[in-house]
Amino acid sequence: MKVLKFGGTSVGSEEAIRQVARIVHSSIDQLVLVTSAVGGVTDQLVHIGELAASGRKDYASFIEGVKVQHEQLYYNLIENKPDEQFYKIIEEFEDICKGVWLLRELTPRSADYIYSTGERLSTLIISEFFRNEGIDVTLYDSRNYIITDDHFGHAHVDFKETTKRLKEVSKTFSKVNLFPGFIASTADNQTTTLGRGGSDYSAAILAGVLNADHFEVWTDVDGLMTADPRMVKRAHFIEHVSYEEALELSHFGAKVIYPPSIQPALEKGISITIKNTFNPDHPGTLITKEWDQDKELIRGISSIKDISLVTLSGNSMVGVPKFSYRFFRALSEAHINVILITQSSSEHSITVGIDTKDSKAAVKALNTEFEEQIESHKIDPIQAENSLSIIALVGSNMKNQVGVSGQMFNVLGKNGVSIKAIAQGSSERNISAVIAKDDLSKALNVLHESFFLSVTKRINLFIIGTGNVGKAFIEQLVQQFTYLKKHHQLNIKIIGLGNSRLMHFENDGIPLSKWESILQAGEKYSSEKFLEKMYSANLRNSIFIDITASEDVAALYPQILKKSISVVTPNKIAATGPYADYLSLKGMSRRYGSRFLFETNVCAGLPVLSTLSDLVRSGDQIHQIEAVLSGTLVFLFNEYNGKTKFVDVIKKAKELGYTEPDPRLDLFGSDVKRKIVILIRESGYKCEYEDIQLNSFLPESCLESSSVEDFYTKVEKEEAHFKNLFEAANKEGKRLKVVAKYKNGHGSVGLEAVDSTHPFYNLEGKDNIVLFYTNRYKEQPMVIKGAGAGAEVTASGIFADVLRLAQTD
């Protein structure tokens, strides 16, 4: 024998009921069917009861609506008018509602009778349709067999009497036996209901009492999922869970089944399958006593959206008995269900999580219970903290497994999700945390990506700057998108994109193939609005990328890092500002779980800063630095031969994208100064920009230019100066290089002529080179050399920083 339960959506329409008939037809087993009211009808009945109790005459029009809805369903299925029994149920329903309207009172007893109407009508229609389809079906009134106490609204089952009656009637069962769910009655035949999830519970009672071979819960989804698919697009179906795992998942928000409904089946060891009425060939989720010890640590991540925390706290609680007893007694007497409990070891406070709709009643009940202690200031006034949610990791394999909670809190922390309360049962099957409701979607997604390794990790980028480097970066992302998704499970999306004029946002990602036209049609750029949109998106794994040379954009970093959003940038301004600000940015990234990465500040895509960081973190000490840090200047002095004008070489470098938008930043030496400052700071030494001695190779007139064009004009006038520098070096067999140095606390930048024995002599094109002299590299320095300028090289360095963040949990 099998017990099948069909929920409201499974019997919510003519086609749905026909589908139920097809499922029943295909079974070779003897069946016990339990069905709910037609989808949405119970809510209508509750509304009708409330209208009648408030004295509103229009309650009758809503009754007529329910009547017509079921008449139409009956006619569509059976092609005939409903029988006498149908109208008898409607008449009784109308009589009870009229009594409620006359008395202006809806008692729990009357409410249960009104609410029972939905299941009584649906099962009557289904049984008539089944007979019409040739199915051997017998309709039973659950009120004659499931006996309860008189706790109307949530009656408690008398299992002794219920077992006796069900065992007796089962002797006469036909092929298909249909029972309305949710409803029952007292021993003196007063209609009761079994509360929330009552139809599941009715079916589980029948399965347990009748020792069914199997219990199937038919609904509108394929089974339990690893997370709420409405919030986690990558959530996937779970083939099998244990009873305990199912209980935990259903308690914390999985709406497929209701926790108490599992208990009768659990006690008898009856397996349960969650099936989809509208996809019956899908295997569904199997629930058994055993769990899969060779599968994932986490079976699912569940959640409850609307939670409030209520806390009892006060110094006078420490070491005093009965505070907890009074606290939970007051909540119990107010009929408030406690979802989560946590207490500090100091005994200073007890915190519970409850449904937000119960928060006012809970605060009122507790303030009344502890009125005397509150007035005498022994405990604090009770208040509720609202707008919260619960997330819960569930899995039997978490038991005795080290690091699960650490991984959970680490991932949440790095994404700026603050935890308000934590609870973990001694069974180690559940780790629960209370978080801000606004962070729920982000938290679910990052946890799902972290614990289900086969899931692609989504990275959300917010970019300001679409010049040469910005375009190159986006182009590289387009080229690598498929590869990264296939081989590294990374799905990198640009959510926000802006430049000095325009910006555009799409939470599902801007189509990269047409980003330029999309941005061109975007809204006017505003840094405040850009940040506002980025914050309000509140997406997991967010990275802000500044591909500008703007002081205004660099000034945004502190507030961005505080939002636990990492910053990647080739913009040198922030890392070379006042030393205290530099340290502050570093501190903020550590405090808020974000990262501040600026590898491309020095030598574009070369791994200079990451290598330096590895040296310092491993205990090495930097004593001396010699470097050629400007690919632009290397290119200029390599290209310049005393024949082509120096100004023309500068213009060529700019056209190739080797210079800053304003080439004076490169030629004045300020760019190299910033780079050596960064190297000194990253080596662990205090250094201000002003501490670096700059020996400019430019004539004074060029340093006083008012614009780029004015600069070009003055450089052209000083051509003899540059030609003299070149010829003097060339005569001695040397080459000109702008060298940055640091030693014994002193830093400098200046033009030098190096001979053929020097490592700098053979630098080609736009190459950079850095020599680190350290404790480990005393005589022969560590050398890092390669292309240090150009949009594509810089973009690749930005890309490397993004991947470094993406592949770090």
Side-chain angles (χ1 to χ4, degrees), residues 53-103:
S54 63
R56 286 178 52 176
K57 290 184 178 181
D58 59 345
Y59 81 88
S61 65
F62 286 92
I63 290 178
E64 183 65 19
V66 170
K67 174 185 171 184
V68 170
Q69 178 183 359
H70 287 85
E71 281 179 331
Q72 188 65 48
L73 183 61
Y74 191 108
Y75 185 82
N76 289 345
L77 288 167
I78 304 165
E79 298 182 354
N80 205 343
K81 289 184 178 181
D83 61 12
E84 181 181 342
Q85 182 62 29
F86 177 93
Y87 288 107
K88 183 179 179 182
I89 295 172
I90 295 293
E91 184 179 338
E92 291 173 353
F93 171 41
E94 291 173 329
D95 289 344
I96 292 293
C97 289
K98 186 173 183 179
V100 171
W101 179 75
L102 289 170
L103 295 172

Side-chain angles (χ1 to χ4, degrees), residues 325-339:
Y325 163 73
R326 292 173 60 193
F327 181 74
F328 290 107
R329 183 188 64 187
L331 292 174
S332 176
E333 290 177 352
H335 304 293
I336 292 167
N337 180 50
V338 174
I339 299 170

Side-chain angles (χ1 to χ4, degrees), residues 500-515:
S500 60
R501 298 177 297 104
L502 300 164
M503 63 182 189
H504 181 75
F505 284 77
E506 290 188 28
N507 273 10
D508 288 330
I510 297 170
L512 298 182
S513 61
K514 49 184 177 179
W515 70 267

Side-chain angles (χ1 to χ4, degrees), residues 732-735 753-762:
E732 296 181 6
K734 296 181 179 181
R735 292 180 179 176
V754 298
D755 62 32
S756 59
T757 63
H758 199 285
F760 297 168
Y761 183 84
N762 287 316

Side-chain angles (χ1 to χ4, degrees), residues 161-181:
E161 183 62 24
T162 297
T163 299
K164 176 184 174 184
R165 296 192 184 197
L166 285 174
K167 289 283 190 182
E168 185 62 30
V169 74
S170 67
K171 296 175 183 177
T172 61
F173 273 178
S174 56
K175 175 69 164 45
V176 179
N177 306 277
L178 180 59
F179 288 79

